[in-house]
Amino acid sequence: MATDELDALVFRMALDSVHALPLSFGDKAAEIAARSRGILLFDVRIEGDAEVQRVAAIQYSSDQMGILALDKQGSGIRHCVINGGFSSFIAPLENWTRLPLSTQATIDITGHVSLFIGALRNAGYLLRG
């Protein structure tokens, strides 16, 4: 089995094992990253989207990323596995997450988040219901 297939499988297994736990979305994303030996790149709020309120990305060694999106009602998590082709959309969100909280508060990333979600949808991921 190729490394990218193994990372995708482990991501899905971690997602299934954490899904029913009584944790917040951010805690679930962190737990999935820990259980699947990935690195949580970001967990950000999405403003103004009709279907999704939060999105998180987990990086794997195979250049794949597991993406988690919390639906607007807060009850369901959509997920997908993407390749490095989305790195230009992910980099600003990852960089913002690494900033101190006081600096994050002064930087608006709404546009970056919208571009990332739009790119995922245009590529056939996280499709609208």
Side-chain angles (χ1 to χ4, degrees), residues 22-41:
L23 301 171
S24 69
F25 176 76
D27 290 341
K28 282 184 180 183
E31 185 63 23
I32 291 166
R35 289 184 184 201
S36 62
R37 296 189 179 191
I39 299 168
L40 182 62
L41 298 179

Side-chain angles (χ1 to χ4, degrees), residues 27-68:
D27 290 341
K28 282 184 180 183
E31 185 63 23
I32 291 166
R35 289 184 184 201
S36 62
R37 296 189 179 191
I39 299 168
L40 182 62
L41 298 179
F42 62 81
D43 166 18
V44 295
R45 177 168 293 288
I46 300 170
E47 299 295 334
D49 191 272
E51 297 183 21
V52 179
Q53 64 173 289
R54 296 192 74 81
V55 66
I58 300 169
Q59 176 70 55
Y60 295 99
S61 61
S62 65
D63 193 35
Q64 295 219 73
M65 284 173 240
I67 305 299
L68 305 168

Side-chain angles (χ1 to χ4, degrees), residues 49-52 71 78 121 125-129:
D49 191 272
E51 297 183 21
V52 179
D71 70 17
R78 300 176 188 188
R121 286 182 173 137
Y125 300 105
L126 302 177
L127 296 174
R128 295 185 185 274

